Amino acid sequence: MNNKLIEKSIAVSARPYMYILTVMLFLLSCGSDNNTPTEDLGNTTNHYLKLQPSGLNVIKVSCLEENFVFPFQVKMIGNKTNQRVKAQLNTWNEDELKAYNNKEKTSYTLLPSSLYSLTSTEVSFEEGISIVDVEVKFNPSKVFAESRKKGIEYLIALKLTSNEIRVRDRQDEILLSLSFDYPTVGFATSAKEISMNKDLIPVDIDVTLDYKVNGIPTANPWDFTCQFIVPSNAEELVAEYNKAYKASYQLLSGSNYDLGEGISFKGGETKASGKITIKRDGMATYYHYNLENVLIMELFAVKEYVILK
């Protein structure tokens, strides 16, 4: 009888330890099931390649530069550096770019390969080598000219692959987004009231230049001129303006203005002024219908508008 009580007592008292032992084994099991590689050079199981840096990198350059170099590295992690390994750097295809743009809500265009170069698309690790340096080179002034002409934002996208060694996920791609510091010219004011009390009305148009490099205001280094033009979508702009401000403007006829010779900037100047002429002849017809005239202009190649009313 006493033996049975002793056996029962031992069985009951042993249960908590069994539970504790089970929990400890479970936690140890979870801790050892780790597939994320570490950068332990002495760990023979973690032998792989990676890019450094990787992911998206924003490159800010001046539109005036003619040569720019972006260095990065291909690294071999692990202790098997006594073997020869080869890998490749490939550019993204259009499907990969489309997937990225959709995911990140961006609108990048791949920079044509003719506008940049790599030191090599083949990456070779000789015995005892664990790092290979790579450089991306391009001419910022040429890339900027293409970007502005086409109105697009360029991206250089490269992917590291190999048939001989594992390449680490999420560190196998490098994206270079190109951001340019460039001067902008804009109208000093967006609207100007004109009194039509003469047949020919000269109007001064003030323009400003803004130029920053790395966020720092920089002196204007150029002598240059800008022209005034009437944009091809001027009618649409007038309609949008009328809708937004509940107005009833009508685009001024081309026979009623002379846009003059534009404006000229000299080195060091950030402000300039040009003249246009408004001609009153024939405008009375519009007033008969209670409409006002408006002239919408833009600076050549600069999407900033001024309304003369």
Side-chain angles (χ1 to χ4, degrees):
M1 180 68 176
N2 289 336
N3 290 338
K4 290 183 178 180
L5 289 174
I6 291 172
E7 290 175 2
K8 184 176 181 181
S9 175
I10 291 174
V12 171
S13 62
R15 286 173 186 165
Y17 298 100
M18 291 174 66
Y19 293 150
I20 292 172
L21 180 60
T22 302
V23 172
M24 290 178 65
L25 288 173
F26 177 74
L27 290 177
L28 289 172
S29 175
C30 289
S32 63
D33 186 18
N34 183 0
N35 294 322
T36 303
T38 61
E39 294 191 19
D40 181 4
L41 299 182
N43 189 338
T44 59
T45 62
N46 293 329
H47 187 222
Y48 60 91
L49 298 181
K50 73 168 191 173
L51 294 175
Q52 187 171 334
S54 59
L56 181 64
N57 297 263
V58 178
I59 301 177
K60 201 169 186 65
V61 293
S62 170
C63 69
L64 302 179
E65 293 183 57
E66 295 185 352
N67 184 51
F68 184 85
V69 177
F70 182 88
F72 65 96
Q73 296 178 325
V74 182
K75 289 189 172 184
M76 181 188 296
I77 305 301
N79 68 345
K80 297 183 179 179
T81 57
N82 58 345
Q83 65 181 28
R84 296 182 177 181
V85 170
K86 290 186 178 181
Q88 296 77 39
L89 284 167
N90 302 307
T91 59
W92 271 9
N93 57 42
E94 290 297 332
D95 289 338
E96 289 172 310
L97 177 67
K98 183 178 179 180
Y100 181 85
N101 280 335
N102 290 338
K103 180 182 177 181
E104 301 298 330
K105 310 300 182 189
T106 51
S107 56
Y108 288 119
T109 297
L110 291 175
L111 182 66
S113 58
S114 60
L115 291 177
Y116 72 96
S117 64
L118 291 175
T119 48
S120 178
T121 58
E122 295 290 327
V123 181
S124 298
F125 288 86
E126 300 297 330
E127 292 183 10
I129 302 298
S130 62
I131 296 176
V132 174
D133 294 314
V134 183
E135 291 181 342
V136 179
K137 300 179 181 180
F138 64 94
N139 183 327
S141 63
K142 287 185 178 180
V143 176
F144 174 74
E146 286 295 310
S147 176
R148 293 292 291 176
K149 181 171 67 175
K150 298 179 179 179
I152 55 181
E153 189 174 6
Y154 280 124
L155 180 76
I156 299 174
L158 304 172
K159 185 178 182 69
L160 181 66
T161 61
S162 177
N163 295 324
E164 302 178 9
I165 184 174
R166 183 167 67 92
V167 179
R168 190 177 188 184
D169 290 341
R170 298 185 299 277
Q171 290 185 311
D172 59 343
E173 295 178 328
I174 183 168
L175 311 179
L176 306 181
S177 174
L178 310 183
S179 176
F180 296 93
D181 285 320
Y182 59 91
T184 58
V185 178
F187 294 109
T189 181
S190 61
K192 201 177 186 80
E193 295 285 346
I194 301 172
S195 176
M196 301 302 297
N197 54 5
K198 295 187 295 184
D199 290 337
L200 298 178
I201 311 294
V203 181
D204 291 326
I205 304 296
D206 297 324
V207 176
T208 61
L209 171 69
D210 180 32
Y211 182 40
K212 293 184 178 68
V213 176
N214 293 325
I216 301 174
T218 303
N220 168 28
W222 311 279
D223 294 342
F224 67 96
T225 61
C226 290
Q227 302 298 317
F228 298 128
I229 67 170
V230 176
S232 59
N233 63 335
E235 292 279 5
E236 297 174 16
L237 294 173
V238 174
E240 291 175 6
Y241 186 91
N242 285 338
K243 182 178 180 180
Y245 295 97
K246 301 187 185 316
S248 56
Y249 293 121
Q250 182 168 319
L251 187 65
L252 187 63
S253 170
S255 61
N256 287 111
Y257 59 81
D258 181 349
L259 298 181
E261 298 179 357
I263 55 169
S264 296
F265 280 92
K266 293 183 178 180
E269 295 180 343
T270 59
K271 297 180 180 180
S273 183
K275 285 187 179 293
I276 68 169
T277 302
I278 305 296
K279 304 174 184 178
R280 188 174 61 177
D281 184 42
M283 294 177 61
T285 304
Y286 298 124
Y287 291 121
H288 178 72
Y289 294 103
N290 296 318
L291 291 173
E292 295 181 81
N293 295 115
V294 59
L295 170 60
I296 292 186
M297 296 189 309
E298 69 174 343
L299 287 174
F300 178 69
V302 179
K303 297 300 181 183
E304 293 198 29
Y305 302 97
V306 64
I307 299 175
L308 303 176
K309 54 184 179 177

